[in-house]
Amino acid sequence: IGVPRKNVISITKEAATGGNQWLSSQKGSEHEHYFDCVYGPESSQAEVYEWSGRPLVTAAITEGRNATILVYGATGAGKTHTMFGTDGDLGLVHRALGEVFKII
């Protein structure tokens, strides 16, 4: 997996799995997936919230809009950590709730 340019993740399939013919034919292929924002492992909870959460929460409260934050990824990728964080490094849920009460 690589990040060849901003907001793009490139995935190169290195090996087939389980003898599946379709997967064998995909060996060595490269796929690019485009996103509004890509966060690396060095990204902080605050950075993720500032870009992904704060604008949604602010619009939901001040403009009466609906908002959803979806965290998607493989098992063990850090979805729960991103949403809930730790006592010393709050995740999106805790930051969003704090923002709601600050605005109202």
Side-chain angles (χ1 to χ4, degrees):
I1 296 177
V3 182
R5 55 194 177 282
K6 185 177 179 175
N7 302 342
V8 176
I9 293 177
S10 175
I11 300 172
T12 303
K13 296 181 179 178
E14 295 180 0
T17 309
N20 183 310
Q21 284 293 50
W22 186 82
L23 292 175
S24 295
S25 69
Q26 298 298 306
K27 184 177 180 180
S29 65
E30 186 172 311
H31 302 276
E32 289 188 348
H33 302 276
Y34 299 84
F35 300 90
D36 292 334
C37 191
V38 175
Y39 300 104
E42 70 286 343
S43 299
S44 69
Q45 295 280 40
E47 179 185 357
V48 172
Y49 179 74
E50 287 302 317
W51 198 93
S52 299
R54 185 183 303 275
L56 294 174
V57 172
T58 301
I61 301 300
T62 62
E63 301 170 24
R65 296 178 180 254
N66 294 324
T68 300
I69 298 175
L70 172 71
V71 179
Y72 179 80
T75 299
K79 299 176 298 294
T80 301
H81 177 73
T82 299
M83 291 304 285
F84 298 105
T86 62
D87 287 338
D89 193 18
L90 301 177
L92 295 178
V93 171
H94 296 284
R95 291 173 190 272
L97 288 172
E99 188 77 18
V100 166
F101 285 106
K102 186 170 26 172
I103 292 172
I104 60 172

